[in-house]
Amino acid sequence: MIRILFYVLIVLALGAGFAWLADRPGELSLIWQGQRIEMSLMVAATLLASLIAAVLIAIWLIRVVWLSPHSISRYFRARKRDRGYQALSTGLIAAGAGDSVLARKMTARTRGLLSSDQEPLIHLLEAQTALIEGKYDDARKKFELMADDPETRELGLRGLYLEAKRLGANEAARQYAERAADKAPHLPWATLAALDYRSQTGQWDEAIRLLDQSRASHVVERKEADRKKAVLLTARAGDKLEADPKGARDDAQAALKLAEDLVPAGLIAAKALFREDNLRKAASILEKLWKQEPHPQVASLYVRARSGDSATDRLKRANKLEALRPNNPVALAAVAESALEARQLPLARAKAEAAARIQPSEGIFLLLADIEEADTGDDGRIRHWMNQALKSPRDPAWTADGVTAPDWLPVSPVSGRLDAFEWKQPVAQIAGPVEEGTLEAADAAIRSLPPVAITHQRPEPQPEHTVAPAKPAPVVSGPVVPAHVIDVAEKTVEPAVKTIAVPVPSESVIVQQTVKTEPRPAPVKPEEATVEPFFGRPPDDPGVRDDSKPLEKTTFRLF
């Protein structure tokens, strides 16, 4: 565009010059070698311009003829280069698509048209072709050549890193990632990989320094960088908690400034402050975390802030947590547990049942079983709660990559990823219907709780016998038994033999007879009828009689 404008300006300047000469006519006389030449000024200017143009055209023709061999060779070289780049492009596409035959064909064609010194991407095409053909050693050699070239260093290091990860050579992968991160801290994959490896080995200071560099290079977003730095500070504070509580407190509080909802940071900060006897500030941190999202570990640490507190004092602190977040299952469970320790069993039962209705879980039903054991000691009711615990969803826990841990960890033990643990419900059991853990099931479980069974023995009443009037008869043998003597054998599980003496008149016949009697249950009042257990009726078969034992003989008087 600029060249066209330049040509236009030249033409306008020539036109303006000729117009200026046309407005000012004149004659030009020239004597050359005894001859006089006369012409007008316009003709002389035209002849001069034509002469200059002819000279320029002649120079151009001579230049074209002189440089024609070079121009021809350059044309064919450019054509060959274009064909090589076309083959390279086709080969890379074929390698990405997994077409090894076409990729190998394009690799050979590219090698014939281009030089590897001229185009380093030929090494990439050869490495990718070797990978899809399964020639991993050849691919690794190509990546090493690329890693030695300053132009393709990052590309070669990434290829070597991926190959090391594929082979499970974590140490080699760590070295490649560290090398790439040092040479090019703006690479996200190198920075994050090096960050994970430094976190796995506990190099918290180096990891924080690398994270700050990546944040300055805008590799990691600000929000993500703040979260990762808070996790690293929390991990470093956890290591310092035993030896340096003050340093642990500073790191944990710095982590809370970057991530206010990071529960492990708040717990470490509170523990450090407790060791410094700063209970008020520690309680303030825990209450702030509790208001954001109730957490069982926060409740446990808050309730047991002072080791010398009584169970009643811990119950008061639990009630304070419930006041901050009412109608919350975690808060209700904390109050129920504290009430159980304080032996306020009605309060513990009410809070635990309320928590079970809001959010049924395995832990709340186990807590109800503990309350039942402390309150009634009824085995049937305890088994009922434990059965509900087996059917209910599991309690939330620190989970990462399908693995649960009792305490928070900064790095996943499976993948080595930083900030992988989350407080959530673990993977549900494969067996068991899903609907058994719903709110309706929890409410039905509470309503179907069996009554308290009778666990103590009542005194057995004496059996009453009705004696019919007897007819006079001669006395055969035996003494006369008083009317008030009634001996009843003790009842046993197995059939037993009783000796019964019935009062008779003075003139009666006494006959010896062996009587087999069956055990009878102890009589109870109608309003205190025995409740059948919830898990089914007892077997009706009393068992097999032991015939090896002789039957006991008794005397029975007939009228």
Side-chain angles (χ1 to χ4, degrees):
M1 184 66 184
I2 297 177
R3 296 178 63 183
I4 294 175
L5 182 61
F6 180 72
Y7 290 145
V8 170
L9 291 176
I10 292 176
V11 172
L12 290 177
L14 290 175
F18 280 106
W20 184 80
L21 291 176
D23 293 338
R24 293 166 179 80
E27 293 183 357
L28 179 65
S29 296
L30 177 63
I31 299 175
W32 186 50
Q33 293 182 356
Q35 294 182 359
R36 184 175 180 173
I37 302 172
E38 294 181 356
M39 64 186 70
S40 63
L41 186 59
M42 180 61 69
V43 174
T46 304
L47 290 175
L48 182 60
S50 301
L51 180 61
I52 295 173
V55 172
L56 292 177
I57 292 173
I59 294 174
W60 176 76
L61 289 175
I62 294 172
R63 185 174 179 273
V64 168
V65 174
W66 181 264
L67 299 177
S68 58
H70 179 69
S71 299
I72 293 172
S73 62
R74 185 176 61 183
Y75 167 76
F76 285 107
R77 187 168 60 250
R79 183 181 177 186
K80 182 180 179 181
R81 183 187 60 193
D82 294 341
R83 291 171 58 194
Y85 278 114
Q86 181 64 35
L88 179 62
S89 177
T90 305
L92 290 174
I93 294 173
D99 190 353
S100 60
V101 178
L102 181 58
R104 178 59 63 185
K105 180 180 179 181
M106 291 297 105
T107 301
R109 181 178 298 179
T110 305
R111 273 289 186 182
L113 297 175
L114 295 177
S115 174
S116 58
D117 297 336
Q118 179 183 0
E119 183 50 62
L121 286 178
I122 296 177
H123 294 304
L124 176 61
L125 177 58
E126 292 177 349
Q128 294 294 330
T129 305
L131 285 177
I132 61 178
E133 289 178 348
K135 302 177 180 178
Y136 298 107
D137 294 337
D138 296 341
R140 188 163 52 253
K141 293 179 181 179
K142 293 299 179 181
F143 284 129
E144 290 176 354
L145 291 175
M146 295 171 65
D148 295 335
D149 190 353
E151 295 183 0
T152 58
R153 179 186 294 115
E154 291 80 11
L155 183 58
L157 290 175
R158 177 165 175 77
L160 292 173
Y161 170 77
L162 294 177
E163 279 299 296
K165 292 287 288 183
R166 183 186 63 82
L167 296 175
N170 296 325
E171 180 61 25
R174 184 191 66 80
Q175 293 180 4
Y176 291 135
E178 293 280 355
R179 183 179 171 186
D182 293 338
K183 297 295 182 180
H186 60 276
L187 295 175
W189 69 268
T191 300
L192 296 179
L195 185 64
D196 289 341
Y197 284 121
R198 292 178 184 181
S199 302
Q200 292 174 17
T201 56
Q203 302 178 15
W204 310 121
D205 297 334
E206 295 295 329
I208 293 174
R209 182 184 61 81
L210 180 60
L211 184 61
D212 292 337
Q213 292 179 356
S214 63
R215 180 177 179 179
S217 302
H218 301 285
V219 175
V220 185
E221 296 182 358
R222 180 178 179 181
K223 185 177 181 180
E224 183 181 359
D226 291 343
R227 176 71 183 185
K228 290 184 178 296
K229 188 174 181 179
V231 173
L232 293 174
L233 289 172
T234 303
R236 189 171 68 178
D239 293 343
K240 293 181 179 179
L241 183 59
E242 297 295 334
D244 186 11
K246 184 177 179 180
R249 179 202 63 193
D250 296 338
D251 287 342
Q253 289 180 347
L256 285 176
K257 292 180 180 179
L258 297 174
E260 296 181 354
D261 59 342
L262 189 57
V263 174
L267 294 176
I268 294 176
K271 290 178 181 179
L273 290 171
F274 285 152
R275 295 191 178 188
E276 296 177 359
D277 294 332
N278 195 345
L279 300 180
R280 178 176 296 181
K281 192 170 183 179
S284 176
I285 292 175
L286 295 178
E287 290 175 0
K288 185 177 180 181
L289 286 175
W290 181 264
K291 291 177 182 178
Q292 293 179 358
E293 184 64 30
H295 196 281
Q297 294 181 349
V298 174
S300 177
L301 184 60
Y302 185 85
V303 171
R304 293 169 175 80
R306 291 178 294 191
S307 58
D309 287 348
S310 62
T312 305
D313 295 334
R314 293 196 293 268
L315 178 58
K316 292 179 180 179
R317 299 180 70 86
N319 288 327
K320 185 177 180 180
L321 288 180
E322 185 188 7
L324 294 176
R325 289 297 297 267
N327 298 326
N328 184 272
V330 180
L332 293 172
V335 176
E337 185 176 356
S338 300
L340 175 61
E341 295 177 358
R343 308 304 294 177
Q344 297 186 17
L345 301 180
L347 177 62
R349 183 185 297 275
K351 296 296 183 180
E353 290 181 355
R357 287 189 175 95
I358 296 174
Q359 185 178 353
S361 63
E362 180 182 4
I364 195 63
F365 283 114
L366 291 177
L367 179 59
L368 280 168
D370 293 338
I371 296 172
E372 196 68 52
E373 182 180 6
D375 188 10
T376 63
D378 187 357
D379 292 339
R381 295 167 68 93
I382 295 172
R383 285 194 296 269
H384 174 79
W385 291 126
M386 298 185 70
N387 185 30
Q388 296 301 321
L390 292 175
K391 298 178 182 178
S392 302
R394 298 176 61 184
D395 294 328
W398 292 113
T399 307
D401 299 324
V403 177
T404 58
D407 296 321
W408 176 84
L409 297 175
V411 181
S412 170
V414 179
S415 61
R417 182 166 51 93
L418 182 66
D419 191 22
F421 275 91
E422 298 177 357
W423 183 259
K424 63 180 182 180
Q425 182 179 346
V427 180
Q429 297 95 332
I430 299 177
V434 180
E435 62 272 12
E436 289 182 349
T438 59
L439 300 179
E440 292 78 4
D443 191 63
I446 295 175
R447 292 197 306 268
S448 63
L449 182 65
V452 180
I454 298 175
T455 58
H456 59 278
Q457 297 292 336
R458 297 180 179 272
E460 298 181 0
Q462 299 293 335
E464 298 179 358
H465 298 276
T466 303
V467 180
K471 296 180 180 181
V475 177
V476 179
S477 64
V480 178
V481 182
H484 62 276
V485 178
I486 301 175
D487 296 330
V488 181
E490 295 182 357
K491 292 184 294 294
T492 59
V493 178
E494 298 295 335
V497 178
K498 294 182 179 181
T499 301
I500 302 175
V502 181
V504 296
S506 58
E507 296 180 355
S508 60
V509 179
I510 300 177
V511 180
Q512 292 185 354
Q513 183 178 356
T514 301
V515 181
K516 176 183 176 182
T517 60
E518 295 293 336
R520 291 184 300 174
V524 296
K525 297 180 180 181
E527 63 273 11
E528 296 180 354
T530 304
V531 180
E532 296 180 358
F534 71 95
F535 46 80
R537 296 177 57 85
D540 296 330
D541 187 6
V544 181
R545 185 179 63 184
D546 190 0
D547 296 333
S548 61
K549 296 181 180 180
L551 295 177
E552 185 179 353
K553 294 185 178 182
T554 59
T555 58
F556 186 77
R557 299 180 184 273
L558 298 179
F559 299 106

